[in-house]
Amino acid sequence: MDKDEKNLEKVAMLAGEILLTSGAEIFRVEETIQYILSSFGKEAEAMVFSTGIFIHIKGEAIQAKTMVKRVSERTTNLHRIYQVNMVSRQLCNGELDLLQANEQLEHIRKVHQYSNLKKEVSYISVALFFCVLLKGSFLECISAGVVGGILGMVILLSNRLRLNSFCINVLGAFTIGITALIISNYIVPQISSDLLIISAIMPLLPGVTFTTAVRDILNGDYSSGVARMVEAVVTALAVAVGVGTGIALFARIL
């Protein structure tokens, strides 16, 4: 196998891996892989599940090749999906060669799009403005922003400790419940703890995952769609357990 063929296979697999880990729909991942390979004259089949990628490149019996890639980390990053789609289009149109495409894909995979400070600001902003949307008072909106900021710090710390997503969601939701009740009972008694909790849990809710699961099911990718649906349900359950535990603990101890 010559170097160009190896680079082509590497680019196709890398593009699919980034798309899948970024929360892209299954049909998008499969089509992107097939477009990249077919644009270089390769007849291939791609089968993608929520936890892995299978690519079979057809040819003579001795030249046929099957590649497998296990994907264990999944998140939601629409910007990365857009970037990979652009690289794929430019590669298929001849605007990029394989080495340039591989370099850009490696950069997309490794680069940190937002700093920890920007992530912290986003947690504060989401909680604060959802409270505004729910017609909270000035003090309630500020308090929701404080709860969101504490949630952001807990999640960043949990990621550094390499906790799994279920534990991160439980711990984050638990922090929201305890913090909201402390603020509403001891610091600013006239505000609603329910409003603080509802506003602050918005970054934890699996809305995009649920929507992607529905799209996969409608596209006929039932196994991946059901898997993502279960993932969304488990995430929602983790949030409910965390908030419920925080409220129960506060009622018993404080």
Side-chain angles (χ1 to χ4, degrees):
M1 180 183 294
D2 60 29
K3 189 174 181 180
D4 285 342
E5 289 181 343
K6 291 182 178 179
N7 288 333
L8 175 60
E9 294 170 1
K10 183 179 180 181
V11 167
M13 181 64 80
L14 183 56
E17 179 186 357
I18 297 173
L19 288 174
L20 188 58
T21 57
S22 300
E25 304 91 333
I26 297 301
F27 80 90
R28 185 188 299 274
V29 182
E30 292 177 344
E31 286 185 354
T32 299
I33 293 172
Q34 290 173 350
Y35 282 151
I36 291 175
L37 293 172
S38 63
S39 66
F40 286 83
K42 296 292 183 179
E43 186 179 359
E45 292 287 344
M47 181 178 292
V48 180
F49 299 95
S50 59
T51 56
I53 301 173
F54 299 83
I55 302 175
H56 178 71
I57 300 177
K58 301 178 181 179
E60 299 296 332
I62 196 172
Q63 297 177 342
K65 183 176 182 180
T66 300
M67 298 180 294
V68 179
K69 180 69 177 181
R70 167 74 174 177
V71 176
S72 57
E73 180 182 351
R74 291 177 299 278
T75 183
T76 301
N77 193 322
L78 301 181
H79 183 65
R80 277 186 178 176
I81 295 173
Y82 165 77
Q83 288 180 311
V84 174
N85 286 338
M86 289 300 297
V87 172
S88 173
R89 291 190 185 98
Q90 291 174 349
L91 178 63
C92 294
N93 292 334
E95 300 174 19
L96 294 175
D97 59 30
L98 289 171
L99 290 178
Q100 291 173 328
N102 184 66
E103 289 177 359
Q104 291 195 22
L105 290 173
E106 288 287 355
H107 176 73
I108 292 170
R109 181 173 67 171
K110 294 178 181 178
V111 70
H112 293 284
Q113 186 176 353
Y114 301 109
S115 65
N116 289 338
L117 178 59
K118 290 180 179 179
K119 291 179 181 178
E120 180 67 17
V121 172
S122 70
Y123 281 106
I124 295 173
S125 301
V126 169
L128 191 153
F129 287 108
F130 261 107
C131 193
V132 173
L133 186 64
L134 296 172
K135 299 181 180 180
S137 66
F138 175 78
L139 289 176
E140 287 171 334
C141 294
I142 297 300
S143 300
V146 172
V147 176
I150 296 173
L151 169 65
M153 290 188 289
V154 169
I155 290 179
L156 292 176
L157 179 60
S158 299
N159 286 326
R160 288 190 177 184
L161 295 175
R162 298 184 181 276
L163 299 180
N164 60 50
S165 60
F166 183 86
C167 293
I168 291 175
N169 287 322
V170 170
L171 185 58
F174 175 82
T175 302
I176 290 172
I178 287 289
T179 306
L181 288 170
I182 290 174
I183 292 175
S184 62
N185 283 274
Y186 297 108
I187 300 176
V188 191
Q190 65 268 34
I191 66 175
S192 170
S193 61
D194 293 342
L195 196 57
L196 301 187
I197 293 173
I198 293 171
S199 301
I201 66 171
M202 289 300 174
L204 301 179
L205 299 182
V208 177
T209 304
F210 184 84
T211 303
T212 304
V214 173
R215 292 191 64 179
D216 284 340
I217 291 173
L218 294 177
N219 287 322
D221 298 308
Y222 298 113
S223 59
S224 297
V226 171
R228 282 180 166 167
M229 187 75 72
V230 171
E231 180 182 352
V233 171
V234 170
T235 301
L237 179 62
V239 174
V241 168
V243 172
T245 303
I247 294 174
L249 184 65
F250 181 88
R252 284 183 174 272
I253 297 177
L254 301 177

